[in-house]
Amino acid sequence: MLASQQPSNNNNNSNNNNNNNNSQNVASSSFLPINGPTSNSSSSILSSPLTSTTTTTTTSTSSNNNISNLLNPTNSIFNNGFKDYIDSKRFSDVKLIYGSKMYDTHRIILAYSSEFFKRLLSSEFREASQAVITLRQPDPYNIFPQVLSFMYDGRVWMSPDNVVPLLAMADHYLIHALQSLCNKYLDTNLNRESVVSILRTSISFHFDFIIDKCIGIIAKNFPYICEQQQLFKSNNNNNNNNSNNNSNTNNNSHNNSTENLNNNDFDLMFLPSSIFITLLKHPYLVVKNEYTLYQIVINFIKYKQQEQQQQTDNTTNNNNNNNNNTPNETNNNNNCIIDNNNINELMSHIRYIWMTYDQLIEISSNPLVPRDILIETFMERLKKYESSSSTSSTISNIPLLSVTNTINNNNNHTDQQQNNTDSTNNNNNNNNFNKYPITNTRFLPRPPQSIPFEYNHDFDQKGILYWIATNCYREKWANPHTSLRIKITSSSIDKGNLQDVVELAPFEFWTKDVPASWVTIDLGPNRSVIPMCYTIRHGLSFKSDSLRTWDFQGSTNGEQWTVLKRHTNDSSLNLKYATHTWNIPNVTAAYRYFRILQTGKNSNNRNFLVIGGIELYGELLQSNNVINNDNTTTTKSPIKWIQE
């Protein structure tokens, strides 16, 4: 998608709205699409402010062309920035050698675009007088030609594959305009479609803050991403042969690992073990089911073991390719290292208690599953069974003896295998019990898969409350408060009814003239939201008594509140039934309750809290399971709010 940064015009809103669903390809709301493809690709040509004036001039109406040319008679020279000069090599006064290529460049352009070159070409450095300068910064993705072109014309083609390498080179050469464009692109285009590509390059360049964002997105969209990366397909193929291979898996596991390595189906297998563990530990990790997660972890371990063996073989055979590794390839080689501690840690984050009995029997024969976690799981299952049984005789129907024998045989097999390799590891594993203390986390259900709701325009019927009111868009809109799908409360009521706060059409509602007035939304015990932005409508047919100073807060229990956004003397609402939307950046926690707390007086210096509509956008987490105080779960309706 072609985009250029320029001042907003009358077409700004329409262009942004039309392209809102196309993977949010524009890096900022001030970027306007011009003459580009309309596909769903996340690739964009972005421009720095260097070219914005030019674009504005060239898109002026014919009546203003003469005035523009008069004010800027050299306008045609700069239509493409200075790109013509690097292509034609005219007036070049310094050559840059990067790898095997030489570029004819201009000192003034380099110094203007890059703080690095500005310092390098100053009189304090010897390069200031050199006609040829050699640059030695590694460039495994061959990004430098694009960066150099950007320094001349302020435009660059960005995609999920190259945005992180561009950012890394912009950071190194202190090209602030390019840094800003890269960060805006990431803010807009880092989503579940692009996250794997961006994570791969972020690991190569050690961008920890991007890695953390990517892990969060993958965790909340894990089933979707696994299906996209064909993980489930490969796992199902392996599962078909599980029952026949339990007793003799060594050769088949080796063959399967080789096949997986060569098929390149496992795009998440590039992750280092430490990052994969971080993913498994993520509090919002969503899984199809625990047995599927178990299969993915087993395949990850086998893949890493096979990759590690190949690396060892290559080293032993003095493979010539190792002498030509790029920095990225070296990282991948380091990432394949996996040891017993990594394996135990990976396996410990599977919540085995949510597997079926047959699945537990099957996995109990796998020596990779920690014995103490299996016993913990069986004991917890037995505890729940005993608490629900009316007679003790029924308990004998659970064949725990066969399970225990399987575990013991598995331990004997593991001990024998370890005796053949390392007696020290054997001694450690004999004392491995209680290495993973019993924790309630492994007994809790996983969070539900998140449903993203992206803002288009105020009250666009694409928000979370509208989705709830229409029963997932399946029914005609009904007020979600009166239909008991959510619950509205307020500190007091002076005008209107509680349901007016979430009506589609504007209604008048306000509290009494009391300091610290508030309105709260309770989404119900089986819903929570990670908010990204929210919309408010002024609840009066006059602009008077508009909100000015307030806090937008979130809570998980309705008692302790977190300030998500603080407003002080905010005059955004200044008309009758005026609406406005505010972004809520850097929120990663999910909340069931949301509250508007007026912390100062309104526009008429009074304490009436006037509000005639509200909408939420972000990630909705909705589940049929509600966790009780005793860590048991109760299935409740995902549709209606339940009075507790």
Side-chain angles (χ1 to χ4, degrees):
M1 179 175 182
L2 186 61
S4 60
Q5 187 174 359
Q6 54 185 326
S8 60
N9 57 26
N10 294 333
N11 294 326
N12 194 358
N13 290 333
S14 61
N15 282 327
N16 285 339
N17 294 342
N18 291 338
N19 291 281
N20 187 67
N21 294 325
N22 292 336
S23 302
Q24 291 189 342
N25 295 331
V26 184
S28 168
S29 61
S30 62
F31 284 80
L32 302 180
I34 55 172
N35 301 331
T38 58
S39 67
N40 290 330
S41 171
S42 295
S43 301
S44 304
I45 294 182
L46 304 182
S47 306
S48 74
L50 176 67
T51 59
S52 61
T53 304
T54 300
T55 307
T56 304
T57 303
T58 57
T59 57
S60 300
T61 60
S62 57
S63 61
N64 292 328
N65 280 342
N66 293 333
I67 298 177
S68 299
N69 290 330
L70 181 62
L71 294 176
N72 186 12
T74 58
N75 175 56
S76 60
I77 298 177
F78 300 100
N79 279 344
N80 294 315
F82 296 95
K83 185 71 179 300
D84 291 341
Y85 289 93
I86 192 174
D87 292 338
S88 65
K89 304 180 183 179
R90 295 176 61 192
F91 309 118
S92 172
D93 55 5
V94 63
K95 298 180 184 294
L96 298 181
I97 297 178
Y98 215 123
S100 60
K101 295 183 179 180
M102 180 178 292
Y103 303 89
D104 296 278
T105 61
H106 307 78
R107 293 174 185 269
I108 190 171
I109 300 297
L110 298 178
Y112 177 81
S113 302
S114 164
E115 187 70 23
F116 174 90
F117 284 107
K118 181 179 180 180
R119 299 173 186 176
L120 184 70
L121 298 174
S122 69
S123 58
E124 300 175 1
F125 295 93
R126 63 181 181 182
E127 285 83 359
S129 59
Q130 291 179 345
V132 179
I133 299 175
T134 301
L135 302 175
R136 306 188 185 279
Q137 174 72 3
D139 186 17
Y141 290 87
N142 193 28
I143 289 296
F144 183 74
Q146 300 177 54
V147 174
L148 184 62
S149 177
F150 176 83
M151 287 193 283
Y152 274 76
D153 71 355
R155 293 170 177 261
V156 65
W157 177 269
M158 282 188 185
S159 71
D161 294 325
N162 76 351
V163 61
V164 173
L166 283 170
L167 179 59
M169 192 158 287
D171 286 348
H172 179 78
Y173 291 111
L174 301 177
I175 308 172
H176 303 307
L178 182 57
Q179 288 174 314
S180 176
L181 288 180
C182 290
N183 286 320
K184 288 179 180 179
Y185 180 92
L186 288 171
D187 289 342
T188 307
N189 293 279
L190 181 52
N191 50 47
R192 66 182 189 175
E193 305 292 343
S194 63
V195 65
V196 174
S197 296
I198 293 175
L199 177 58
R200 186 189 298 271
T201 51
S202 298
I203 292 173
S204 298
F205 290 96
H206 306 287
F207 278 112
D208 292 339
F209 74 99
I210 301 178
I211 292 173
D212 291 341
K213 291 182 179 180
C214 291
I215 291 299
I217 293 174
I218 291 177
K220 287 179 280 191
N221 297 276
F222 194 63
Y224 173 84
I225 291 172
C226 287
E227 289 175 357
Q228 293 297 105
Q229 305 300 334
Q230 301 181 359
L231 287 179
F232 288 151
K233 178 180 179 181
S234 298
N235 287 334
N236 290 335
N237 291 338
N238 291 336
N239 186 37
N240 290 337
N241 298 322
N242 256 349
S243 59
N244 298 327
N245 296 339
N246 281 338
S247 60
N248 187 15
T249 60
N250 290 337
N251 291 333
N252 289 337
S253 298
H254 178 81
N255 292 335
N256 286 341
S257 298
T258 305
E259 181 181 354
N260 293 339
L261 188 62
N262 294 333
N263 283 345
N264 197 29
D265 284 340
F266 294 86
D267 280 0
L268 289 179
M269 299 307 178
F270 69 88
L271 292 177
S273 299
S274 59
I275 293 182
F276 195 66
I277 289 171
T278 301
L279 173 62
L280 296 179
K281 293 166 60 176
H282 198 281
Y284 291 114
L285 176 64
V286 177
V287 300
K288 188 175 183 180
N289 55 65
E290 293 298 326
Y291 183 73
T292 300
L293 180 62
Y294 162 81
Q295 292 178 302
I296 292 174
V297 173
I298 290 296
N299 282 329
F300 179 86
I301 293 171
K302 291 178 180 179
Y303 185 94
K304 289 298 182 183
Q305 288 175 332
Q306 178 66 15
E307 193 176 16
Q308 186 170 333
Q309 183 61 45
Q310 285 191 2
Q311 181 182 347
T312 303
D313 293 343
N314 291 339
T315 303
T316 303
N317 296 330
N318 295 319
N319 192 319
N320 293 330
N321 291 332
N322 287 341
N323 296 328
N324 299 319
N325 279 339
T326 65
N328 185 45
E329 292 170 339
T330 302
N331 286 337
N332 285 338
N333 287 336
N334 292 333
N335 292 343
C336 76
I337 297 175
I338 188 167
D339 56 23
N340 288 335
N341 290 333
N342 295 139
I343 294 174
N344 290 334
E345 179 76 6
L346 287 166
M347 299 302 295
S348 71
H349 293 294
I350 301 171
R351 302 183 182 183
Y352 300 94
I353 197 169
W354 298 100
M355 292 185 183
T356 66
Y357 174 80
D358 291 336
Q359 290 169 350
L360 287 174
I361 291 296
E362 176 187 332
I363 70 168
S364 63
S365 63
N366 189 336
L368 296 179
V369 181
R371 173 177 176 268
D372 53 320
I373 293 182
L374 277 178
I375 294 178
E376 169 193 307
T377 300
F378 294 137
M379 295 299 291
E380 182 67 17
R381 290 283 285 268
L382 179 59
K383 175 183 174 182
K384 290 185 176 182
Y385 184 85
E386 285 182 333
S387 64
S388 62
S389 297
S390 57
T391 61
S392 59
S393 59
T394 313
I395 300 178
S396 61
N397 292 332
I398 301 180
L400 282 178
L401 182 60
S402 64
V403 175
T404 305
N405 290 336
T406 303
I407 296 175
N408 290 333
N409 292 334
N410 174 42
N411 288 335
N412 292 335
H413 171 75
T414 304
D415 290 341
Q416 182 179 1
Q417 185 181 41
Q418 290 175 340
N419 280 328
N420 293 334
T421 57
D422 189 349
S423 60
T424 302
N425 287 341
N426 179 46
N427 293 330
N428 290 338
N429 282 331
N430 286 335
N431 298 319
N432 197 38
F433 197 80
N434 291 332
K435 181 177 180 180
Y436 305 98
I438 293 179
T439 170
N440 288 335
T441 302
R442 282 197 290 269
F443 298 155
L444 297 179
R446 297 281 183 183
Q449 186 167 358
S450 64
I451 307 172
F453 291 82
E454 297 181 357
Y455 169 80
N456 189 301
H457 59 269
D458 294 356
F459 295 101
D460 51 11
Q461 300 186 359
K462 295 182 180 180
I464 293 172
L465 297 184
Y466 186 89
W467 185 85
I468 293 174
T470 58
N471 190 13
C472 318
Y473 300 133
R474 292 193 294 258
E475 299 175 2
K476 184 179 179 180
W477 185 92
N479 189 289
H481 175 77
T482 57
S483 62
L484 300 181
R485 288 175 174 145
I486 65 172
K487 184 176 182 180
I488 308 295
T489 55
S490 66
S491 55
S492 62
I493 300 177
D494 190 59
K495 169 70 173 179
N497 300 294
L498 289 173
Q499 63 265 26
D500 297 337
V501 175
V502 287
E503 272 289 344
L504 277 181
F507 274 84
E508 292 187 339
F509 175 89
W510 58 81
T511 65
K512 296 182 182 299
D513 187 7
V514 178
S517 294
W518 52 264
V519 170
T520 296
I521 298 176
D522 178 5
L523 298 177
N526 53 352
R527 294 192 192 98
S528 59
V529 170
I530 303 173
M532 296 178 62
C533 58
Y534 76 105
T535 303
I536 287 180
R537 179 192 291 120
H538 179 51
L540 190 58
S541 57
F542 302 93
K543 70 176 184 178
S544 60
D545 291 300
S546 298
L547 271 169
R548 287 294 179 264
T549 302
W550 75 97
D551 287 347
F552 183 69
Q553 302 175 326
S555 175
T556 58
N557 55 18
E559 297 178 358
Q560 288 80 33
W561 294 89
T562 300
V563 177
L564 305 177
K565 192 171 186 66
R566 177 156 287 164
H567 303 262
T568 304
N569 296 324
D570 188 333
S571 58
S572 301
L573 301 174
N574 207 31
L575 297 170
K576 67 174 184 178
Y577 297 126
T579 66
H580 192 80
T581 299
W582 295 268
N583 290 325
I584 311 173
N586 304 321
V587 176
T588 58
Y591 300 96
R592 165 181 170 177
Y593 301 87
F594 293 92
R595 182 170 72 175
I596 296 173
L597 173 65
Q598 189 165 243
T599 56
K601 294 188 176 181
N602 61 32
S603 60
N604 282 43
N605 202 31
R606 298 189 290 191
N607 294 298
F608 295 106
L609 172 55
V610 183
I611 181 170
I614 188 169
E615 184 57 274
L616 302 174
Y617 300 87
E619 296 180 52
L620 172 66
L621 308 178
Q622 178 169 284
S623 173
N624 292 344
N625 294 323
V626 180
I627 302 173
N628 303 319
N629 293 331
D630 59 355
N631 288 329
T632 61
T633 59
T634 303
T635 300
K636 294 188 176 182
S637 169
I639 302 301
K640 293 195 175 183
W641 184 89
I642 307 294
Q643 178 104 26
E644 292 184 323

